[in-house]
Amino acid sequence: KQCHIILDAPIVSGVHCKIRFSPEQNVYYVLDRSTNGTFLVNNPTGDKSQLIKEQENRLVRGSIITIGNNGDQILLV
């Protein structure tokens, strides 16, 4: 009841992360609340960096995050 997107994978926490868009700033804020982490994919290398847990991470449009280190990817458009 708390989530708008539900993923069926063992690495996904009950409420893994919260994503909100700020139209005034034209950016996304991602709050990681998980056990296994939420990661930002760094283009073009594909390397990943873990988002800071329990802190709103400011991400630009076009950013790709992964749920867990090797989980589902979400493109922020």
Side-chain angles (χ1 to χ4, degrees):
K1 292 183 179 186
Q2 295 181 22
C3 301
H4 295 280
I5 299 171
I6 299 172
L7 302 173
D8 184 20
I11 62 168
V12 177
S13 298
V15 177
H16 195 92
C17 65
K18 293 185 177 187
I19 302 169
R20 73 176 178 90
F21 180 69
S22 170
E24 298 84 19
Q25 299 174 325
N26 197 33
V27 296
Y28 284 90
Y29 289 93
V30 180
L31 176 68
D32 178 32
R33 306 211 43 213
S34 70
T35 302
N36 294 313
T38 302
F39 294 78
L40 173 65
V41 178
N42 300 310
N43 289 324
T45 64
D47 294 334
K48 297 175 192 146
S49 55
Q50 188 167 1
L51 298 182
I52 300 170
K53 188 172 182 171
E54 297 296 340
Q55 178 178 314
E56 282 194 314
N57 297 267
R58 186 176 188 258
L59 303 178
V60 298
R61 286 178 177 240
S63 296
I64 299 172
I65 60 172
T66 62
I67 304 302
N69 192 28
N70 292 310
D72 293 305
Q73 291 189 343
I74 298 172
L75 171 63
L76 304 175
V77 294

